[in-house]
């Protein structure tokens, strides 16, 4: 497994870019700065397959929809109980001075014990 940490937003929240030997990749917690994250994926000549969310706080999900819509890839996670945070994204953005963001529902939820594949990589979901 290869990876790099990409701090994003004024909070410098860590977004992780992970990939396998064939260049199949995922962004974990893309909290903002979609253009910068996509530029890093392109610079490394990777194929982004999914966006993985560990939880629904704004600084961990802020760029997910923009990237999903640009590339047509799924947003996976967080767990279903995090829908509350995703529903109040507009308020979170307002309170913390982030650009406006609409609520969304991920393409798939994650639960404790699930596994997530990114190319040849397999991640265990722990809650």
């Amino acid at each position: 497994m290869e990876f790099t940490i990409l701090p994003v937003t004024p909070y410098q929240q860590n977004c992780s870019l992970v990939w396998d030997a064939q260049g199949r990749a995922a962004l974990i917690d893309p909290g903002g700065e979609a253009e910068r994250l996509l530029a890093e994926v392109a610079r490394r000549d990777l194929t982004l397959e999914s966006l993985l969310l560990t939880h629904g706080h704004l600084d961990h999900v802020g760029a997910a929809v923009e990237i999903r819509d640009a590339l047509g890839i799924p947003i996976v996670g967080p767990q279903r109980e995090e829908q509350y945070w995703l529903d109040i994204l507009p308020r979170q953005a307002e309170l913390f001075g982030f650009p406006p963001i609409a609520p969304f529902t991920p393409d798939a939820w994650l639960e404790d014990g699930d596994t997530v594949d990114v190319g040849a990589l397999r991640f265990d979901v722990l809650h």
Side-chain angles (χ1 to χ4, degrees):
M1 176 177 82
E2 298 286 334
F3 73 95
T4 191
I5 304 297
L6 305 164
V8 293
T9 81
Y11 289 172
Q12 293 295 283
Q13 177 273 326
N14 288 331
C15 172
S16 299
L17 174 60
V18 298
W19 65 94
D20 71 4
Q22 288 74 43
R24 296 171 294 187
L27 283 167
I28 302 171
D29 290 341
E33 303 179 48
E35 288 181 17
R36 182 171 153 247
L37 296 176
L38 290 173
E40 184 67 20
V41 170
R43 185 182 77 74
R44 294 177 181 272
D45 196 28
L46 302 173
T47 301
L48 200 58
E49 295 186 339
S50 61
L51 303 162
L52 308 177
L53 306 180
T54 63
H55 64 285
H57 292 164
L58 172 66
D59 61 327
H60 288 255
V61 306
V65 170
E66 184 177 349
I67 295 170
R68 177 189 66 187
D69 292 351
L71 300 180
I73 60 175
I75 297 173
V76 180
Q79 69 180 33
R80 189 174 304 278
E81 290 80 4
E82 295 285 315
Q83 185 65 59
Y84 166 81
W85 293 106
L86 301 176
D87 288 342
I88 66 165
L89 282 169
R91 184 70 177 134
Q92 289 184 65
E94 180 183 346
L95 286 171
F96 296 105
F98 280 67
I101 183 170
F104 69 92
T105 299
D107 299 291
W109 298 104
L110 291 174
E111 298 299 334
D112 186 55
D114 288 348
T115 59
V116 176
D117 294 329
V118 176
L121 306 174
R122 175 159 284 172
F123 296 93
D124 293 325
V125 177
L126 306 174
H127 178 70

